[in-house]
Amino acid sequence: CGTAVRDGAAPGSTPPAIKEDRPLPSLGALIEFFRDPAKQVLRSELGLRLAALEDDRLDEDEPLAPGADHPEGFARDLFFAALEAGTEAVPEAAREALQLGGLLPPGALGERRFAIEWNQASFLLGALRASEPAPEGPLSPPQPLALRVPLSGGRVLEGRLLLRHEASGRPWLIEVHGRERKSLGFRALLPLAVAGAALRLAGHPPPGLALLGKDGVHEAGAVLASLPPDPARDAAFLEALIGFREGVLRGERRYAPDTSWTAAWIGDHGPEGVAEAWTGRTDRRGERDRSPGYAALWGRAWRFVPGDGEAERFAADARHLQALWQALTGQEGLSPRPSKGRRKGDAA
């Protein structure tokens, strides 16, 4: 697939019970791997379910997808309801349905809660409507589209995507995350890039792509949506990511979305900052503990001992992912970069 890996894996670094003779992953598995490798591999590939921990993931780690079952996330449902209605404002009529569904407590507490969520949904809707490109008219509810994506050597990447459609038929893939844009990183950018490349390679109309954080529209959606069809470029990108995933599963590469995103800017953060992104510190959870159980098991061999080179291994692989992004988009690096402290401004 053209993706180089190191000659040797670090001792004990292979994720649990990964077989060498793996078939080509599905499109969905590839997307979910770059969003949450620990959960995708341990639960979906190996059948390991840590049932007691399934509901402990922090809401900020989850894409704000329509219909997602998060008691504190119904702003996303209001946002998508407005898109489906094609309205310029978020409908307030949803309040009663939310109360009947148990998502809103009765009385003044429920009113305050609805106002907060309604304001957030209204902000996101306004940001998307003001962006370029923006959806025109009402969008359909999400509909599954089966894809067969041709790769080199006669291989085919199969899977499906959930897409919304304008009345004209143009497909849209819109993701809204509960983090600020500067914190989205690989877990949001790479899945969207994979979806766009797969749609183009499968011969579908150029999709509209939008990525939003809780503070506005991320520039990556417009960048990816503007890419012209280029089968060789798109196939090389997907094959390189498939190869990268294989390298991670063999223990020859390192990938944990948040830690890798910090490692991409190791010059700003230093090895200590990369280690803290994984292990956390007294005032902030690390990635290891945001996805309790799965992530800790996934990275059980990562020690981040000073001088052992673990942070540098993460940084080298993060730079490789950045290079793949640049080859796909023609843009150097990924933006906006994470900040060490107070944010001075995000790219719109």
PDB file of all heavy atoms in Angstrom, residues 310-330:
ATOM      1  N   GLU A 310       9.123   7.161  23.539  1.00  0.00           N
ATOM      2  CA  GLU A 310       7.720   6.924  23.210  1.00  0.00           C
ATOM      3  C   GLU A 310       7.067   8.171  22.608  1.00  0.00           C
ATOM      4  O   GLU A 310       6.352   8.088  21.606  1.00  0.00           O
ATOM      5  CB  GLU A 310       6.948   6.483  24.454  1.00  0.00           C
ATOM      6  CG  GLU A 310       5.571   5.912  24.166  1.00  0.00           C
ATOM      7  CD  GLU A 310       5.644   4.594  23.431  1.00  0.00           C
ATOM      8  OE1 GLU A 310       5.891   3.564  24.074  1.00  0.00           O
ATOM      9  OE2 GLU A 310       5.457   4.603  22.192  1.00  0.00           O
ATOM     10  N   ALA A 311       7.312   9.319  23.209  1.00  0.00           N
ATOM     11  CA  ALA A 311       6.727  10.553  22.678  1.00  0.00           C
ATOM     12  C   ALA A 311       7.232  10.821  21.270  1.00  0.00           C
ATOM     13  O   ALA A 311       6.472  11.262  20.395  1.00  0.00           O
ATOM     14  CB  ALA A 311       7.052  11.729  23.599  1.00  0.00           C
ATOM     15  N   GLU A 312       8.503  10.536  21.033  1.00  0.00           N
ATOM     16  CA  GLU A 312       9.058  10.755  19.705  1.00  0.00           C
ATOM     17  C   GLU A 312       8.468   9.782  18.683  1.00  0.00           C
ATOM     18  O   GLU A 312       8.282  10.134  17.511  1.00  0.00           O
ATOM     19  CB  GLU A 312      10.580  10.631  19.761  1.00  0.00           C
ATOM     20  CG  GLU A 312      11.291  11.772  20.473  1.00  0.00           C
ATOM     21  CD  GLU A 312      11.151  11.719  22.006  1.00  0.00           C
ATOM     22  OE1 GLU A 312      10.739  10.647  22.534  1.00  0.00           O
ATOM     23  OE2 GLU A 312      11.442  12.723  22.661  1.00  0.00           O
ATOM     24  N   ARG A 313       8.167   8.543  19.111  1.00  0.00           N
ATOM     25  CA  ARG A 313       7.511   7.600  18.202  1.00  0.00           C
ATOM     26  C   ARG A 313       6.128   8.113  17.816  1.00  0.00           C
ATOM     27  O   ARG A 313       5.719   8.035  16.653  1.00  0.00           O
ATOM     28  CB  ARG A 313       7.428   6.218  18.850  1.00  0.00           C
ATOM     29  CG  ARG A 313       8.739   5.449  18.870  1.00  0.00           C
ATOM     30  CD  ARG A 313       8.538   4.003  19.284  1.00  0.00           C
ATOM     31  NE  ARG A 313       8.320   3.863  20.710  1.00  0.00           N
ATOM     32  CZ  ARG A 313       9.289   3.726  21.608  1.00  0.00           C
ATOM     33  NH1 ARG A 313      10.550   3.727  21.208  1.00  0.00           N
ATOM     34  NH2 ARG A 313       9.012   3.595  22.885  1.00  0.00           N
ATOM     35  N   PHE A 314       5.392   8.607  18.798  1.00  0.00           N
ATOM     36  CA  PHE A 314       4.089   9.200  18.501  1.00  0.00           C
ATOM     37  C   PHE A 314       4.245  10.371  17.532  1.00  0.00           C
ATOM     38  O   PHE A 314       3.450  10.531  16.595  1.00  0.00           O
ATOM     39  CB  PHE A 314       3.416   9.674  19.791  1.00  0.00           C
ATOM     40  CG  PHE A 314       2.473   8.673  20.392  1.00  0.00           C
ATOM     41  CD1 PHE A 314       2.916   7.756  21.328  1.00  0.00           C
ATOM     42  CD2 PHE A 314       1.139   8.638  20.016  1.00  0.00           C
ATOM     43  CE1 PHE A 314       2.047   6.818  21.881  1.00  0.00           C
ATOM     44  CE2 PHE A 314       0.267   7.722  20.558  1.00  0.00           C
ATOM     45  CZ  PHE A 314       0.719   6.804  21.496  1.00  0.00           C
ATOM     46  N   ALA A 315       5.258  11.201  17.766  1.00  0.00           N
ATOM     47  CA  ALA A 315       5.446  12.382  16.926  1.00  0.00           C
ATOM     48  C   ALA A 315       5.774  11.993  15.487  1.00  0.00           C
ATOM     49  O   ALA A 315       5.261  12.604  14.542  1.00  0.00           O
ATOM     50  CB  ALA A 315       6.546  13.264  17.511  1.00  0.00           C
ATOM     51  N   ALA A 316       6.615  10.988  15.294  1.00  0.00           N
ATOM     52  CA  ALA A 316       6.977  10.568  13.946  1.00  0.00           C
ATOM     53  C   ALA A 316       5.746  10.069  13.187  1.00  0.00           C
ATOM     54  O   ALA A 316       5.557  10.382  11.998  1.00  0.00           O
ATOM     55  CB  ALA A 316       8.044   9.482  14.007  1.00  0.00           C
ATOM     56  N   ASP A 317       4.905   9.308  13.866  1.00  0.00           N
ATOM     57  CA  ASP A 317       3.715   8.787  13.193  1.00  0.00           C
ATOM     58  C   ASP A 317       2.673   9.871  12.970  1.00  0.00           C
ATOM     59  O   ASP A 317       1.934   9.843  11.973  1.00  0.00           O
ATOM     60  CB  ASP A 317       3.131   7.629  14.006  1.00  0.00           C
ATOM     61  CG  ASP A 317       4.033   6.398  13.953  1.00  0.00           C
ATOM     62  OD1 ASP A 317       4.755   6.237  12.953  1.00  0.00           O
ATOM     63  OD2 ASP A 317       4.027   5.609  14.913  1.00  0.00           O
ATOM     64  N   ALA A 318       2.589  10.837  13.885  1.00  0.00           N
ATOM     65  CA  ALA A 318       1.680  11.963  13.675  1.00  0.00           C
ATOM     66  C   ALA A 318       2.122  12.793  12.475  1.00  0.00           C
ATOM     67  O   ALA A 318       1.294  13.256  11.679  1.00  0.00           O
ATOM     68  CB  ALA A 318       1.619  12.831  14.935  1.00  0.00           C
ATOM     69  N   ARG A 319       3.429  12.973  12.308  1.00  0.00           N
ATOM     70  CA  ARG A 319       3.924  13.707  11.138  1.00  0.00           C
ATOM     71  C   ARG A 319       3.609  12.949   9.854  1.00  0.00           C
ATOM     72  O   ARG A 319       3.342  13.555   8.807  1.00  0.00           O
ATOM     73  CB  ARG A 319       5.423  13.957  11.271  1.00  0.00           C
ATOM     74  CG  ARG A 319       5.782  15.024  12.295  1.00  0.00           C
ATOM     75  CD  ARG A 319       7.225  15.460  12.166  1.00  0.00           C
ATOM     76  NE  ARG A 319       8.144  14.394  12.534  1.00  0.00           N
ATOM     77  CZ  ARG A 319       8.618  14.193  13.771  1.00  0.00           C
ATOM     78  NH1 ARG A 319       8.240  14.992  14.758  1.00  0.00           N
ATOM     79  NH2 ARG A 319       9.447  13.218  14.010  1.00  0.00           N
ATOM     80  N   HIS A 320       3.631  11.615   9.935  1.00  0.00           N
ATOM     81  CA  HIS A 320       3.259  10.822   8.764  1.00  0.00           C
ATOM     82  C   HIS A 320       1.800  11.074   8.383  1.00  0.00           C
ATOM     83  O   HIS A 320       1.469  11.240   7.198  1.00  0.00           O
ATOM     84  CB  HIS A 320       3.476   9.337   9.055  1.00  0.00           C
ATOM     85  CG  HIS A 320       3.140   8.441   7.900  1.00  0.00           C
ATOM     86  ND1 HIS A 320       3.941   8.313   6.806  1.00  0.00           N
ATOM     87  CD2 HIS A 320       2.071   7.634   7.677  1.00  0.00           C
ATOM     88  CE1 HIS A 320       3.397   7.470   5.939  1.00  0.00           C
ATOM     89  NE2 HIS A 320       2.259   7.051   6.454  1.00  0.00           N
ATOM     90  N   LEU A 321       0.918  11.122   9.365  1.00  0.00           N
ATOM     91  CA  LEU A 321      -0.489  11.411   9.080  1.00  0.00           C
ATOM     92  C   LEU A 321      -0.648  12.817   8.515  1.00  0.00           C
ATOM     93  O   LEU A 321      -1.465  13.044   7.613  1.00  0.00           O
ATOM     94  CB  LEU A 321      -1.327  11.237  10.349  1.00  0.00           C
ATOM     95  CG  LEU A 321      -1.460   9.799  10.866  1.00  0.00           C
ATOM     96  CD1 LEU A 321      -2.207   9.778  12.200  1.00  0.00           C
ATOM     97  CD2 LEU A 321      -2.162   8.908   9.846  1.00  0.00           C
ATOM     98  N   GLN A 322       0.112  13.756   9.037  1.00  0.00           N
ATOM     99  CA  GLN A 322       0.070  15.102   8.481  1.00  0.00           C
ATOM    100  C   GLN A 322       0.507  15.116   7.016  1.00  0.00           C
ATOM    101  O   GLN A 322      -0.071  15.828   6.187  1.00  0.00           O
ATOM    102  CB  GLN A 322       0.973  16.037   9.289  1.00  0.00           C
ATOM    103  CG  GLN A 322       0.405  16.438  10.632  1.00  0.00           C
ATOM    104  CD  GLN A 322       1.303  17.437  11.324  1.00  0.00           C
ATOM    105  OE1 GLN A 322       2.498  17.205  11.464  1.00  0.00           O
ATOM    106  NE2 GLN A 322       0.736  18.546  11.753  1.00  0.00           N
ATOM    107  N   ALA A 323       1.526  14.318   6.696  1.00  0.00           N
ATOM    108  CA  ALA A 323       1.998  14.252   5.317  1.00  0.00           C
ATOM    109  C   ALA A 323       0.933  13.657   4.398  1.00  0.00           C
ATOM    110  O   ALA A 323       0.781  14.089   3.248  1.00  0.00           O
ATOM    111  CB  ALA A 323       3.278  13.426   5.238  1.00  0.00           C
ATOM    112  N   LEU A 324       0.181  12.684   4.894  1.00  0.00           N
ATOM    113  CA  LEU A 324      -0.907  12.117   4.090  1.00  0.00           C
ATOM    114  C   LEU A 324      -1.998  13.160   3.848  1.00  0.00           C
ATOM    115  O   LEU A 324      -2.564  13.234   2.750  1.00  0.00           O
ATOM    116  CB  LEU A 324      -1.491  10.890   4.792  1.00  0.00           C
ATOM    117  CG  LEU A 324      -0.560   9.690   4.964  1.00  0.00           C
ATOM    118  CD1 LEU A 324      -1.303   8.539   5.643  1.00  0.00           C
ATOM    119  CD2 LEU A 324       0.016   9.245   3.628  1.00  0.00           C
ATOM    120  N   TRP A 325      -2.291  13.949   4.868  1.00  0.00           N
ATOM    121  CA  TRP A 325      -3.269  15.029   4.708  1.00  0.00           C
ATOM    122  C   TRP A 325      -2.792  16.021   3.650  1.00  0.00           C
ATOM    123  O   TRP A 325      -3.571  16.459   2.797  1.00  0.00           O
ATOM    124  CB  TRP A 325      -3.476  15.726   6.052  1.00  0.00           C
ATOM    125  CG  TRP A 325      -4.346  16.938   5.990  1.00  0.00           C
ATOM    126  CD1 TRP A 325      -3.949  18.229   5.755  1.00  0.00           C
ATOM    127  CD2 TRP A 325      -5.765  16.989   6.131  1.00  0.00           C
ATOM    128  NE1 TRP A 325      -5.026  19.076   5.769  1.00  0.00           N
ATOM    129  CE2 TRP A 325      -6.159  18.344   5.996  1.00  0.00           C
ATOM    130  CE3 TRP A 325      -6.744  16.035   6.380  1.00  0.00           C
ATOM    131  CZ2 TRP A 325      -7.480  18.763   6.082  1.00  0.00           C
ATOM    132  CZ3 TRP A 325      -8.069  16.451   6.479  1.00  0.00           C
ATOM    133  CH2 TRP A 325      -8.433  17.791   6.324  1.00  0.00           C
ATOM    134  N   GLN A 326      -1.509  16.367   3.714  1.00  0.00           N
ATOM    135  CA  GLN A 326      -0.971  17.329   2.746  1.00  0.00           C
ATOM    136  C   GLN A 326      -1.038  16.769   1.329  1.00  0.00           C
ATOM    137  O   GLN A 326      -1.372  17.487   0.377  1.00  0.00           O
ATOM    138  CB  GLN A 326       0.475  17.677   3.099  1.00  0.00           C
ATOM    139  CG  GLN A 326       1.097  18.701   2.159  1.00  0.00           C
ATOM    140  CD  GLN A 326       2.493  19.100   2.569  1.00  0.00           C
ATOM    141  OE1 GLN A 326       2.990  18.676   3.606  1.00  0.00           O
ATOM    142  NE2 GLN A 326       3.142  19.913   1.769  1.00  0.00           N
ATOM    143  N   ALA A 327      -0.730  15.476   1.173  1.00  0.00           N
ATOM    144  CA  ALA A 327      -0.785  14.863  -0.159  1.00  0.00           C
ATOM    145  C   ALA A 327      -2.210  14.844  -0.705  1.00  0.00           C
ATOM    146  O   ALA A 327      -2.428  14.974  -1.907  1.00  0.00           O
ATOM    147  CB  ALA A 327      -0.224  13.446  -0.099  1.00  0.00           C
ATOM    148  N   LEU A 328      -3.194  14.695   0.195  1.00  0.00           N
ATOM    149  CA  LEU A 328      -4.587  14.678  -0.233  1.00  0.00           C
ATOM    150  C   LEU A 328      -5.086  16.065  -0.590  1.00  0.00           C
ATOM    151  O   LEU A 328      -5.731  16.263  -1.625  1.00  0.00           O
ATOM    152  CB  LEU A 328      -5.471  14.084   0.874  1.00  0.00           C
ATOM    153  CG  LEU A 328      -6.983  14.082   0.598  1.00  0.00           C
ATOM    154  CD1 LEU A 328      -7.314  13.065  -0.502  1.00  0.00           C
ATOM    155  CD2 LEU A 328      -7.769  13.782   1.871  1.00  0.00           C
ATOM    156  N   THR A 329      -4.812  17.036   0.263  1.00  0.00           N
ATOM    157  CA  THR A 329      -5.435  18.351   0.143  1.00  0.00           C
ATOM    158  C   THR A 329      -4.552  19.396  -0.518  1.00  0.00           C
ATOM    159  O   THR A 329      -5.048  20.450  -0.944  1.00  0.00           O
ATOM    160  CB  THR A 329      -5.829  18.883   1.532  1.00  0.00           C
ATOM    161  OG1 THR A 329      -4.638  19.094   2.310  1.00  0.00           O
ATOM    162  CG2 THR A 329      -6.739  17.897   2.254  1.00  0.00           C
ATOM    163  N   GLY A 330      -3.239  19.150  -0.562  1.00  0.00           N
ATOM    164  CA  GLY A 330      -2.323  20.170  -1.058  1.00  0.00           C
ATOM    165  C   GLY A 330      -2.019  21.232  -0.035  1.00  0.00           C
ATOM    166  O   GLY A 330      -1.324  22.201  -0.331  1.00  0.00           O
TER     167      GLY A 330
END
